Amino acid sequence: MFMLNYTWIILALPILGAAINGLFGKRFSKTAVNSVAIGSVGLTFLAVCELVREFWSLPAAQIPWVKTYYTWMAAGDYTSHPFHINFALQVDQLTIIMLLTVSFVGLLIHIYSTGYMAHEGGYYRYFSYLNLFMFFMLTLVLGANLAVMFVGWEGVGLCSYLLIGFWFHKKSATDAGKKAFITTRIGDLAFMVGLLLAFWTFGSLSYTTMFQKAAQMQPETMAHAGVLTGIAVLLFIGAIGKSAQLPLYVWLADAMEGPTPVSALIHAATMVTAGVYMVARMNPVYSRAPMAMLVVATVGGVTAFYAATIALMQKDIKKVLAYSTISQLGYMFLGCGVGAYAAGIFHLMTHAFFKGLLFLTAGSVIHAMGGEQDMTKMGGLRKKIPITYWTMMIATLAIAGIPGFAGFFSKDEILEAAKSGQHAILWLWVLGTLAAGLTSFYMFRLMFLTFFGKPRFDEHKVHVHESPLNMTIPLMILAFLSTFGGWLAAPKLAGGINYFAQFLNPVFTKYAVSPAPVEAAAAPGTSPVVQVLLSLVGIPVILGLIGLLVAWWFYIKNPNAPKQLAQKLHGAYVLILNKYYVDEIYIAVIVRPLLWLSRRVLWEFFDATVIDGVVNGTATVARESGGTVRELQSGNTRSYASWVVIGAVGFTILLLAFIGLAVR
């Protein structure tokens, strides 16, 4: 059990790589920087694989495996109500899924980056930040209590600021980094309050202790929400910021100012999935707070549809994928909110595969186009960059929910739970299903604008070329996972077992309020073939195929149709094109009033008038008093003698007055 006892090695490797490249990388060659960065993450993935191997041999009674290394913070008397937090790491089935996803996808993104960033400045700094990002995300996943999770939670926020604003000479990049950092801090404030409320309620931040005590508490109701609802909602507000849900989603689209591999890392397997992981990890609390679950499901379902509508009109290839990420994260929260935690995590994993692939293939397109990101200036790239085309097509089929690809299985699980699960909410199923059709449309729109039709660029100036092997090999690996990564759930289509959900089942049933209802068996006499066909012809699949056909009609068969439709629906077109003016509303309602308050009240009045007035006034009085006293120093001996006599006489009079008072 070496790896289980020394789980900290998984954290030590990436932070060591970050430190070496950060401190000494400026003097290294790019090969040396690559060796340190990729080597540290590669060893991390191997350590995770060894951890998984050892985990399989653990008896059920020892799961979750918790390893405490030292006391991190301690305050108060142990016999009363102490604040006591250990640096402890935890491994269970949920941890295993997250570790494998984060470490492997992160490794592929590191490899891809060696090609994409080959000619960029700050090469060593970039890889130091990537390694640091991996360290904090793994800390978030491995932590055995909310405090350790919070270190990783804040750390990924810091790294997002550093990586989004990596090209700091661009004002748009630095502004985007600050926007991401500040927006997520809003959610993090609520997260901290929720963390403190959890300690006040349970007397501990350890998952094991919290969940055991939560299991002894009476489940709350929709009509009588209590402290569990408060904890769950406050923590979820933190997730809204970190995972870019309504209304704190505005930072994520601007985050496209960072290098494309950064977009893949942030949007696929790390930062934005932290909120989904947190809700799934805290399932014993959420399951006893139905009001909080309704909030999670509602925010997720509405965000899934809302962000999908914005993606319809985007011209920047990365912005389409950014709003797609917001939408897909909404699906994950919808799954968790209706109690299908395993389905939410399943979609998190498959999304890491196909969304990581989509961003990396987008980077390959941008690389081939010499930095161009506007899809309306592309076209005809299908035969020029075939590997990029075919791998991106696979990712598109996966995210569109086409049967057989990874996204179909995970998205279908979520929508099924929203429709007929234990906590089903039909109107959210409708929103999620409509979002599935919109997803198919905007993704195939992206494909047709980018790869089909005639080139809409000057072929004499833009020399389109396929990416090098260190960029295309990660694409092919992710394409394989985007195709077969969901097949663990495939037997369920024929009335069998969803092996992914079965693996995670202990995490979500150990402290369950009540046993999950047994899934209805197939009707007697129904053959597996008929069951599969019925599963493949669901409404989400039909809408996905309709979305594909509509995109084909608009952008291949009748390219003038989009312009004609935009003219007929001009108001709606402008509204969606401008992303519902949410950024402008925030600027008018929040940013400008705060700037006015800061400038006019805090700066010009309190700082300049009150504080500076007091300080400057004191200095003025001292200066003028000193000037008056200085004039008394005339250099005339007779004048000095006169002042001495006057002083002596005055002192004598005062002395005699005090003596007289004393005698009385």
Side-chain angles (χ1 to χ4, degrees):
M1 297 299 175
F2 175 82
M3 203 62 242
L4 284 168
N5 286 310
Y6 295 94
T7 307
W8 59 267
I9 292 174
I10 294 173
L11 303 181
L13 288 167
I15 192 65
L16 182 62
I20 292 173
N21 273 335
L23 295 173
F24 310 109
K26 193 171 184 178
R27 295 187 289 271
F28 289 173
S29 66
K30 289 185 177 179
T31 302
V33 170
N34 294 344
S35 299
V36 172
I38 297 175
S40 62
V41 179
L43 290 173
T44 299
F45 175 66
L46 292 178
V48 169
C49 291
E50 172 59 20
L51 181 74
V52 173
R53 189 192 67 81
E54 294 179 10
F55 178 81
W56 282 113
S57 63
L58 282 177
Q62 294 184 22
I63 301 174
W65 174 276
V66 179
K67 183 67 177 179
T68 301
Y69 294 97
Y70 58 87
T71 298
W72 179 19
M73 291 180 279
D77 183 3
Y78 279 83
T79 60
S80 58
H81 200 253
F83 184 76
H84 181 77
I85 297 175
N86 294 321
F87 179 78
L89 303 180
Q90 173 176 309
V91 181
D92 62 5
Q93 291 86 347
L94 179 57
T95 312
I96 292 298
I97 296 296
M98 293 298 297
L99 285 177
L100 287 171
T101 303
V102 171
S103 60
F104 186 64
V105 175
L107 174 61
L108 293 179
I109 292 171
H110 275 70
I111 295 170
Y112 178 94
S113 295
T114 61
Y116 191 88
M117 300 294 291
H119 304 293
E120 298 291 341
Y123 193 78
Y124 75 95
R125 180 167 54 91
Y126 171 83
F127 278 101
S128 178
Y129 292 165
L130 279 192
N131 277 179
L132 189 63
F133 207 129
M134 291 290 292
F135 163 74
F136 280 121
M137 188 63 195
L138 292 169
T139 300
L140 188 155
V141 169
L142 278 168
N145 55 64
L146 277 175
V148 176
M149 173 194 271
F150 190 64
V151 172
W153 188 274
E154 290 298 288
V156 294
L158 168 65
C159 292
S160 70
Y161 166 76
L162 296 172
L163 286 167
I164 293 167
F166 176 76
W167 287 314
F168 55 84
H169 56 279
K170 291 172 55 181
K171 186 178 185 302
S172 58
T174 57
D175 287 347
K178 288 183 287 187
K179 186 175 183 179
F181 191 77
I182 293 169
T183 305
T184 54
R185 291 292 76 71
I186 296 170
D188 292 351
L189 176 61
F191 190 98
M192 285 189 284
V193 177
L195 186 147
L196 295 173
L197 183 58
F199 179 80
W200 180 81
T201 303
F202 302 115
S204 173
L205 294 178
S206 166
Y207 296 142
T208 302
T209 303
M210 285 195 301
F211 298 164
Q212 288 174 349
K213 291 187 176 182
Q216 298 169 5
M217 299 173 69
Q218 186 69 24
E220 297 172 0
T221 63
M222 297 291 287
H224 297 89
V227 66
L228 293 180
T229 299
I231 294 170
V233 170
L234 286 167
L235 293 178
F236 179 61
I237 294 173
I240 287 175
K242 198 68 71 180
S243 297
Q245 298 292 282
L246 281 168
L248 299 178
Y249 70 94
V250 292
W251 66 269
L252 194 138
D254 289 1
M256 297 301 98
E257 290 291 340
T260 300
V262 170
S263 303
L265 187 64
I266 292 176
H267 294 193
T270 55
M271 177 174 169
V272 295
T273 60
V276 181
Y277 168 76
M278 183 278 297
V279 173
R281 172 59 70 195
M282 296 293 291
N283 71 87
V285 175
Y286 281 91
S287 296
R288 287 167 173 78
M291 179 62 75
M293 289 186 69
L294 177 62
V295 171
V296 173
T298 301
V299 170
V302 173
T303 302
F305 179 78
Y306 171 84
T309 63
I310 299 179
L312 297 174
M313 304 295 184
Q314 298 301 304
K315 296 179 181 179
D316 186 316
I317 189 171
K318 289 175 66 177
K319 289 287 181 71
V320 175
L321 299 180
Y323 284 106
S324 170
T325 296
I326 298 171
S327 180
Q328 296 302 308
L329 288 165
Y331 274 112
M332 299 175 206
F333 282 116
L334 173 59
C336 293
V338 296
Y341 300 104
I345 295 299
F346 192 21
H347 198 55
L348 183 156
M349 183 187 75
T350 60
H351 178 263
F353 300 151
F354 60 70
K355 185 52 64 66
L357 177 56
L358 284 169
F359 270 110
L360 296 186
T361 49
S364 184
V365 170
I366 295 167
H367 176 81
M369 291 292 297
E372 182 60 65
Q373 295 183 197
D374 189 338
M375 296 183 298
T376 62
K377 298 178 182 178
M378 298 180 186
L381 299 179
R382 183 162 45 104
K383 295 181 180 179
K384 298 179 183 295
I385 45 175
I387 296 176
T388 301
Y389 164 70
W390 283 110
T391 52
M392 196 171 201
M393 178 59 78
I394 289 172
T396 299
L397 293 169
I399 193 174
I402 301 303
F405 294 88
F408 161 74
F409 296 100
S410 56
K411 189 181 293 185
D412 186 68
E413 287 284 320
I414 291 172
L415 292 176
E416 181 182 336
K419 181 183 179 183
S420 56
Q422 190 177 12
H423 304 281
I425 305 174
L426 189 59
W427 71 272
L428 288 177
W429 172 81
V430 172
L431 277 185
T433 303
L434 292 174
L438 295 178
T439 301
S440 178
F441 174 81
Y442 69 65
M443 284 308 307
F444 281 103
R445 168 181 178 265
L446 181 152
M447 291 297 298
F448 295 145
L449 284 175
T450 304
F451 294 101
F452 289 78
K454 295 181 180 179
R456 295 181 294 277
F457 55 90
D458 191 339
E459 296 186 73
H460 298 290
K461 294 182 179 179
V462 181
H463 301 287
V464 180
H465 56 284
E466 185 62 271
S467 299
L469 283 177
N470 53 353
M471 292 174 66
T472 54
I473 289 176
L475 302 185
M476 290 184 277
I477 295 173
L478 286 172
F480 177 84
L481 293 172
S482 297
T483 304
F484 299 105
W487 280 73
L488 288 171
K492 183 183 176 183
L493 299 180
I497 298 172
N498 181 336
Y499 289 103
F500 186 90
Q502 186 184 57
F503 177 70
L504 286 176
N505 192 53
V507 177
F508 303 125
T509 58
K510 185 173 183 179
Y511 300 103
V513 177
S514 59
V518 178
E519 294 180 3
T526 304
S527 71
V529 175
V530 173
Q531 289 180 250
V532 171
L533 291 175
L534 290 174
S535 301
L536 297 181
V537 192
I539 295 177
V541 173
I542 294 172
L543 287 179
L545 294 174
I546 291 173
L548 187 162
L549 293 174
V550 172
W552 173 82
W553 172 263
F554 275 127
Y555 298 99
I556 299 295
K557 184 68 175 177
N558 189 7
N560 293 322
K563 293 181 180 179
Q564 296 170 355
L565 184 62
Q567 291 173 353
K568 291 180 180 179
L569 302 174
H570 182 70
Y573 172 76
V574 172
L575 181 65
I576 297 174
L577 183 65
N578 289 280
K579 299 163 285 188
Y580 299 99
Y581 296 99
V582 171
D583 279 300
E584 289 79 2
I585 293 171
Y586 280 174
I587 290 172
V589 175
I590 299 175
V591 177
R592 286 177 182 165
L594 285 176
L595 288 175
W596 181 89
L597 179 68
S598 300
R599 183 181 296 111
R600 298 294 183 185
V601 180
L602 299 179
W603 173 26
E604 295 180 359
F605 178 69
F606 281 106
D607 191 11
T609 304
V610 178
I611 298 175
D612 287 353
V614 171
V615 174
N616 295 336
T618 304
T620 300
V621 170
R623 184 175 61 252
E624 292 180 356
S625 301
T628 302
V629 173
R630 183 183 60 193
E631 292 176 358
L632 299 177
Q633 300 180 10
S634 62
N636 189 321
T637 305
R638 291 181 180 180
S639 176
Y640 292 163
S642 299
W643 284 112
V644 169
V645 172
I646 292 171
V649 171
F651 179 74
T652 302
I653 293 172
L654 288 173
L655 182 62
L656 290 174
F658 279 120
I659 292 173
L661 290 172
V663 170
R664 288 181 185 179

